[in-house]
Amino acid sequence: MSVTASARNPPPLSELASIIARALQQNFAHASASVTQCPDLRKPPYGLAAPGLCGNPRIADVGGQANLFPSPNFNAKYSLLSLARDMVSSERGFVLGAGAAPFQDIEHNAELAPNVAWQAREGVRELDLGNPDCVDIVNETRIVEVVAGEVDSVNCRRAPSTNCALMVNLFGSSGLPGPVLKITARGRTGPANFTNAIRAGLVEAYGDSHPISMGGVFLLKAGKARFHVMPDFPAPEDLPFKDRRVLEQEWLRYHTCEAPVVCLTVFHSADPERLQLRMEHTHCFDLEGSRKGGHYHYDLETDSGGEVEYEAYLNVAEVVYRIDRP
């Protein structure tokens, strides 16, 4: 597969914290951003596969929406571990993000929240992520799928493999503790959702010439949010999709979930190299149950009028990889 690497020149986290705090305060009644030591994100309420987001932070945009629309590309099948190699993996690593589930393994289409860590076993001289004898793998990836035969019902479960398909956006690192951005927001007052409010602040501060690429995890702590879940592929006679409206308004399945929901996110402020980056992609899952999650759109207040609330831990990438660009 083709791999293009683009270096980023990220500013200090402290500078980003100030910009992000100001941006969120324009969209939320209460917001903050600061540099802090990353807590152990393996523990609830986050449930990640590695403790932190530090060590060679990088992002990969793999495949793309052209592999789904106007017709699915059934040759677009990927291994998260192979993609990690393309992202210059070392003896340990961690990827999280948002993508399409491996139809080649589960025999239907669905959403995927990648969440995989690995570490070479002691004494291993040449790392082979495909060889279980030389690497320990922690796979906390979730699949969110439409329940066949039920209206507006989804199922969230652990993925049976470390594969994906069609498209995936990944934030990668060594998975180590270290300094990260802690971001909070509560009570949305403006038009932008959580991730797009952050992006808007970065665009205003840095423009198109100085792209900022970030990823990590956030928790919808209170309130509720709107999600979509891709159902199974249409029958061959219903392809190609007539237009984007059919795909987005008739094919995708939308539902609303109440907090708590864990959200894995990757986003960019700009794409000056014209890599056809997906500018924001966030997939979410329920750590405790099985009926929440999907592709994040925007938050809503609860019926009782309670405020929406977020808590995030993010890091900034030093390199962006465009892999298998359609």
Side-chain angles (χ1 to χ4, degrees):
M1 294 184 295
S2 62
V3 180
T4 301
S6 297
R8 293 289 183 257
N9 182 27
L13 291 179
S14 57
E15 180 177 315
L16 290 173
S18 298
I19 291 167
I20 290 170
R22 287 197 299 270
L24 288 172
Q25 287 161 6
Q26 296 175 23
N27 281 271
F28 291 85
H30 308 278
S32 68
S34 61
V35 182
T36 187
Q37 288 295 311
C38 192
D40 190 342
L41 297 175
R42 294 172 297 184
K43 297 179 179 179
Y46 293 100
L48 299 192
L53 304 171
C54 296
N56 193 22
R58 53 207 185 271
I59 281 174
D61 188 320
V62 184
Q65 291 175 303
N67 284 333
L68 176 63
F69 177 86
S71 292
N73 175 9
F74 295 111
N75 293 318
K77 296 179 284 189
Y78 307 107
S79 159
L80 292 171
L81 298 177
S82 294
L83 294 172
R85 274 198 301 271
D86 292 334
M87 297 167 71
V88 192
S89 170
S90 60
E91 69 278 358
R92 65 180 297 155
F94 171 45
V95 292
L96 60 78
F103 62 82
Q104 63 270 34
D105 298 326
I106 65 173
E107 299 183 342
H108 62 269
N109 187 41
E111 308 286 350
L112 192 74
N115 184 9
V116 181
W118 64 90
Q119 183 168 359
R121 293 183 175 176
E122 187 175 355
V124 171
R125 295 183 178 179
E126 185 174 347
L127 180 63
D128 180 0
L129 294 179
N131 183 354
D133 293 330
C134 73
V135 64
D136 292 314
I137 297 172
V138 177
N139 186 12
E140 296 290 345
T141 300
R142 298 302 201 279
I143 287 172
V144 184
E145 58 199 351
V146 172
V147 177
E150 296 186 18
V151 178
D152 297 329
S153 184
V154 303
N155 179 55
C156 177
R157 62 183 172 101
R158 292 178 180 271
S161 72
T162 55
N163 293 329
C164 59
L166 303 180
M167 66 194 92
V168 67
N169 298 88
L170 298 171
F171 174 85
S173 71
S174 298
L176 297 171
V180 295
L181 289 174
K182 178 180 180 180
I183 302 168
T184 66
R186 177 166 54 87
R188 182 154 68 91
T189 58
N193 68 16
F194 182 66
T195 50
N196 283 333
I198 295 173
R199 289 186 58 244
L202 297 174
V203 171
E204 182 179 359
Y206 298 105
D208 292 333
S209 61
H210 189 178
I212 308 298
S213 300
M214 303 188 71
V217 59
F218 65 86
L219 182 72
L220 178 69
K221 297 182 69 174
K224 57 186 178 181
R226 190 75 168 158
F227 303 90
H228 82 235
V229 178
M230 294 188 296
D232 200 3
F233 299 112
E237 59 267 25
D238 295 326
L239 290 169
F241 288 104
K242 182 179 178 181
D243 52 38
R244 294 285 302 189
R245 184 196 62 82
V246 170
L247 183 147
E248 294 174 355
Q249 299 182 20
E250 299 181 15
W251 181 65
L252 294 176
R253 300 292 184 263
Y254 293 85
H255 69 123
T256 299
C257 297
E258 291 205 15
V261 184
V262 181
C263 305
L264 309 181
T265 188
V266 177
F267 57 85
H268 312 269
S269 67
D271 181 16
E273 301 93 350
R274 303 294 186 265
L275 298 174
Q276 293 183 316
L277 299 175
R278 187 164 188 165
M279 300 307 289
E280 189 274 345
H281 205 182
T282 302
H283 280 186
C284 311
F285 62 91
D286 182 5
L287 188 62
E288 302 297 334
S290 62
R291 295 290 182 176
K292 298 179 184 179
H295 176 107
Y296 168 78
H297 282 273
Y298 50 85
D299 54 73
L300 301 162
E301 291 187 349
T302 61
D303 295 335
S304 60
E307 292 180 318
V308 66
E309 183 176 1
Y310 293 99
E311 180 178 277
Y313 293 95
L314 305 178
N315 203 357
V316 60
E318 297 172 352
V319 184
V320 170
Y321 296 89
R322 190 65 175 97
I323 301 174
D324 198 33
R325 176 176 172 176

